[in-house]
Amino acid sequence: MSIDSFLEEFTDRDWQEIGADERDPVRFAMVGMGWWTTEEAIPAVEGSDFCETTVAVSGSVADPSEIEGTDVERAIDYEAFAAGEASDAYDAVYVATPNALHLDHVRAAADLGKDVLCEKPMEVSEERARELTEVCEEAGVTLMIAYRVQTDPAARRARELLREGVVGEPVSVHGGMSDEMLSFVDGSNHWRLDPELSGGTTMNDIGIYPLNTTRFLLDRDPVSAYGRIRTDQPEFEGTDEHASFEFEFEDGILLTGSVSHSACEESHLRVVGTRGQLLLDRPFFPGRPRKLVVEREGTRSTVEFDQRNQMRKEFDYFAHCLLTDTEPAPDGEHGVGDVRAIEAVYEADETGKRVDLRR
């Protein structure tokens, strides 16, 4: 069978069961009004099928009219949010504050009975990530961790091809991501450069992309981890600027790669199998052209998808799960797995030894 025959008849919303006009939209409170929320999340929701933004929660926005491109009804501060103000105006929350603040905001949402879409990494330690999961379980609210690549058509198609055995049995994976962080953050005081708020800079911020996408594609979790970190520029003092990693999965599959906050913008994930290989080209940056390249037994095919907004897919998927009473796939336990694996990389750097992740 040709590669092209495997690539036919793929629906980019393979999870969708209802139409946009069959339910009232899920109303979101956006918790944390940094640039990611205002420039990526809110515009994505504005064009979505199943949700809308009705409340903004931050430490600075006092007037909804200050938020461009949306019909936000209310703007409140964190204290008012925790106290339940405007809780009748939203159904679910999106938490996009610094990593170390996720638990407190998720707890406040859970106490109000609101479902939660929480940005990755879900917290700064495995202990806090597990507590965050337990808070939602005890409150009976739905928790999804915001792995937008998992709803991207290129990644979902790649996973299907691997399941179909198009490239044979996976043997190794190589992934990487890099950017020039100092060109877009507000100096060395930015929270991503504060290890207490971020939990670590490169692995938590961008190393999580090749790690989690590999877990998604292979449907496996790492059993051991090794890594090294390095810092060159003074702005990164006290945290890490570059990282390399190696994760071993079941059946001996190895994920190797590197990430850097001081290099040109690039991202990729390559899975090599016994009969071929597939490459996700530039999968981790929203708004960048993404494609899937598949090679098998001397034949090469390139799939260039319609460039869908990853954040819009993510919000629509989560809202669709709420509207259809379906549990989202990247749940709290899934998110804990990444935090645990990332902590192991930092431990390995300190000890010089591979860390066993099996318990």
Side-chain angles (χ1 to χ4, degrees):
M1 186 179 295
S2 68
I3 293 177
D4 290 340
S5 65
F6 283 106
L7 299 175
E8 294 174 355
E9 300 180 359
F10 175 70
T11 302
D12 68 344
R13 290 191 172 210
D14 53 343
W15 43 265
Q16 185 169 335
E17 298 176 357
I18 61 173
D21 57 351
E22 295 182 44
R23 302 283 196 282
D24 291 333
V26 174
R27 302 169 302 163
F28 272 91
M30 297 290 180
V31 181
M33 295 299 292
W35 69 269
W36 182 261
T37 301
T38 57
E39 297 180 23
E40 296 289 346
I42 287 178
V45 170
E46 282 298 293
S48 67
D49 292 333
F50 297 108
C51 46
E52 62 184 6
T53 300
T54 55
V55 175
V57 183
S58 79
S60 59
V61 177
D63 184 348
S65 66
E66 296 177 14
I67 307 169
E68 297 182 2
T70 185
D71 295 324
V72 172
E73 299 171 6
R74 301 282 298 276
I76 59 177
D77 62 23
Y78 296 120
E79 184 177 347
F81 167 69
E85 186 175 323
S87 60
D88 59 341
Y90 62 92
D91 310 301
V93 304
Y94 170 64
V95 177
T97 54
N99 304 335
L101 305 182
H102 288 178
L103 174 57
D104 290 342
H105 295 313
V106 170
R107 191 194 311 276
D111 287 345
L112 294 168
K114 304 299 183 180
D115 299 310
V116 178
L117 176 61
C118 180
E119 264 302 339
K120 63 196 173 303
M122 56 190 294
E123 253 291 349
V124 296
S125 69
E126 179 186 357
E127 180 181 5
R128 289 179 64 83
R130 289 195 180 280
E131 185 175 355
L132 190 155
T133 301
E134 291 167 1
V135 162
C136 292
E137 290 176 348
E138 292 170 0
V141 301
T142 298
L143 169 66
M144 174 176 153
I145 310 304
Y147 294 108
R148 54 185 165 78
V149 177
Q150 291 196 19
T151 56
D152 186 83
R156 296 184 75 83
R157 191 59 177 129
R159 184 175 65 165
E160 283 196 7
L161 294 174
L162 288 170
R163 288 176 171 176
E164 292 289 337
V166 170
V167 298
E169 293 297 322
V171 174
S172 64
V173 184
H174 188 277
M177 185 175 183
S178 59
D179 61 24
E180 296 178 277
M181 175 184 278
L182 297 181
S183 70
F184 60 82
V185 300
D186 49 355
S188 59
N189 291 325
H190 191 275
W191 69 264
R192 284 182 171 84
L193 297 170
D194 181 344
E196 292 189 2
L197 287 175
S198 68
T201 302
T202 50
M203 286 303 299
N204 271 313
D205 198 43
I206 56 178
I208 197 169
Y209 284 93
L211 168 60
N212 183 262
T213 305
T214 300
R215 292 177 63 204
F216 174 71
L217 295 182
L218 301 181
D219 196 23
R220 292 174 172 89
D221 292 328
V223 297
S224 69
Y226 181 76
R228 301 293 291 174
I229 64 173
R230 190 179 90 247
T231 297
D232 297 328
Q233 300 189 68
E235 289 87 348
F236 289 89
E237 184 177 356
T239 184
D240 50 298
E241 183 179 357
H242 316 274
S244 59
F245 50 82
E246 181 181 279
F247 294 100
E248 181 183 1
F249 290 75
E250 294 177 3
D251 303 321
I253 303 171
L254 287 179
L255 163 63
T256 58
S258 60
V259 288
S260 173
H261 271 315
S262 296
C264 67
E265 183 183 287
E266 190 274 339
S267 72
H268 72 279
L269 194 76
R270 183 186 301 273
V271 181
V272 178
T274 54
R275 299 179 65 189
Q277 62 180 326
L278 61 82
L279 168 69
L280 285 169
D281 183 45
R282 304 195 80 184
F284 305 141
F285 289 103
R288 305 295 190 271
R290 299 177 294 279
K291 62 184 178 182
L292 171 63
V293 180
V294 185
E295 295 182 0
R296 190 177 81 143
E297 298 174 343
T299 302
R300 177 185 176 98
S301 293
T302 300
V303 186
E304 297 193 20
F305 295 85
D306 291 340
Q307 298 305 311
R308 308 296 188 181
N309 185 302
Q310 287 182 333
M311 294 290 287
R312 185 172 302 156
K313 291 283 187 184
E314 177 181 74
F315 273 99
D316 267 342
Y317 169 74
F318 178 61
H320 185 275
C321 286
L322 299 183
L323 294 171
T324 58
D325 196 25
T326 303
E327 287 296 320
D331 60 10
E333 283 300 319
H334 185 82
V336 170
D338 279 338
V339 177
R340 183 165 172 249
I342 288 169
E343 281 189 317
V345 170
Y346 290 115
E347 180 182 343
D349 178 74
E350 291 180 0
T351 64
K353 299 178 181 179
R354 178 175 292 276
V355 178
D356 192 338
L357 292 170
R358 290 167 291 195
R359 290 180 177 173

